[in-house]
Amino acid sequence: MKLYELTIHEALNLLRRREISAVELTQALLDRIVDVDNDIKAYITLLPETALEEARLADERRREGMDGALLGIPLAVKDVICLAGAPTTCGSRILENFIPPYDATVIERLHQAGAVFLGKTNTDEFAMGSSTENSAFFTTHNPWDPSRVPGGSSGGSAAAVSADEALGALGSDTGGSVRQPASLCGIVGLKPTYGRVSRYGLVAFASSLDQIGPLCKDVTDCALLLHVIAGHDARDSTSWHAPVPDYTQALRSEIKGLRIGVPREYFAAGIQPGVETAVRKAIQVLADLGAEIAETSLPHTEYALPTYYLIAPAEASANLARYDGVKYGYAAADAADIWEAYRKTRQHGFGAEVKRRIMLGTYALSAGYYDAYYLKAQKVRTLIKQDFDRAFQQFDVLVGPTSPTVAFKIGEKIADPLQMYLSDIFTLGHNLAGICALSLPCGFCDGLPVGLQISGPAMGEEIVLRVAYAYEQATPWHTYKPALRNLSQNEYQMDKEHRR
Ligand code: GLN
């Protein structure tokens, strides 16, 4: 048995029965990282000493008769989430040497549950991107084909889980950054309802859209992680007071009679034919399981992208104003005065995409253009939300593709921002509406994984997880793993080895 191949729930069973120790498990993951991460490049920072120490403490806690929802489980964390004492770079030069003095609330909760932190994973700079190519440090490779991107911006987290370099991971999703990389790497990723998970300690990109979410090998693991990180937090005024259900209780494979809507706009031009085929087959599986499927419409879908690219950059331009070389990270040397210090710091500290967003956002908010752009976008945001509200009066969940294509080649879209933005065309709307959505593997196209997106109303995580679980139990996709053989030779093969 290869310990690094275990799911979280499988590992928990073995740990609870004392068949393995947390130290053994953590060591197996650290060895795995040494074996494959030179090629995958999922991690920016590795934390082997603290991870082993946390694992040792977890074993001790267990020996003393204590348990925890994730006691001894090694996880990876996207490098936009603060973990005290370890660098949090956000994939940016401007925070290259920034070490937060405090933990994000999600980290605190995972700690209490007994999790072990292996390291911080690569991301597009400040989570702006869909491929990790905007990372200031390096691009992460897709474990299914190293010449391709893992998606983004949580591409490091997705690749780490897909390549068995972590049992699970945290990502952040502002417009698709958990779901799209999950889809491209063949794993499960969940964007919770806005306010379900505290954003305290998540470095802000677009505060009205950002949510932290789990990336996992299967739906059960997603439910386990969500259960630990969800819930009200006095330090995030936008977090909901709603009680946190035991999400694993929602995992019943029965979906007979559930009403599932298929928005026709999600099969519009631009979708890769092999992706459409896989998703249509998945919908047939849901029908065979007894769900009632009907076509529906989200008429404002085409405005999601322009709306998002006004609101997200507007918020980013304000959020990123704090990086001026005075308090955080990089500060330009040899500036004649304070203005030159600000200018040089931001000029050298930020990459091209971040600067593009700051300019777009500043423009959209500027006097004279505010009404035409930012205010108009907010109105359209309401229309997009109302589309979903109407759909969820009729349907329990909606389904469609997560991403219009499978993983694309490294370099293919980086010179054309609009092409890159289009990668999130099916995921942006859920952030604008503040609702929840999950991506899970539903087949392959040209040997690359395809993701099925299941979305639900605000606080509808239970129903989304239930449908996802039913589909997962009826299909083999979550048991396929990338082979990772001869990585450096750029070869890849689909490994049909069954995970369990
Ligand atoms: N790809 C989208 C963007 O670049 C979404 C990113 C995200 O969800 N963090 O803004």
Side-chain angles (χ1 to χ4, degrees), residues 78 80 123-131 134 152-154 172-181 191 205-206 209-211 308-309 312-313 353 357 420-424 427-428 431:
K78 183 180 183 181
V80 292
T123 168
D124 288 290
E125 187 172 3
F126 286 102
M128 297 173 187
S130 309
S131 68
N134 293 334
S153 60
S154 313
S172 66
D173 190 314
T174 303
S177 277
V178 163
R179 291 161 285 159
Q180 185 259 17
K191 183 204 94 70
F205 162 10
L209 302 161
D210 299 338
Q211 264 298 285
Y308 174 88
Y309 277 98
E353 183 62 28
R357 305 278 178 116
M420 190 70 86
Y421 298 171
L422 283 166
S423 193
D424 294 299
T427 51
L428 301 166
N431 300 73

Side-chain angles (χ1 to χ4, degrees), residues 156-215:
S157 284
V161 173
S162 163
D164 290 318
E165 297 181 66
L167 296 197
L170 291 183
S172 66
D173 190 314
T174 303
S177 277
V178 163
R179 291 161 285 159
Q180 185 259 17
S183 171
L184 271 47
C185 287
I187 61 167
V188 185
L190 169 70
K191 183 204 94 70
T193 303
Y194 185 76
R196 179 73 288 192
V197 176
S198 168
R199 291 180 294 112
Y200 179 77
L202 165 67
V203 177
F205 162 10
S207 308
S208 77
L209 302 161
D210 299 338
Q211 264 298 285
I212 294 171
L215 293 116

Side-chain angles (χ1 to χ4, degrees), residues 80-86 88 98-105 107-108 199-204 235 322 328:
V80 292
I81 298 171
C82 290
L83 200 163
T88 295
F98 171 62
I99 298 185
Y102 68 99
D103 280 332
T105 297
I107 298 294
E108 224 174 69
R199 291 180 294 112
Y200 179 77
L202 165 67
V203 177
R235 293 172 297 188
R322 73 191 69 173
Y328 307 95

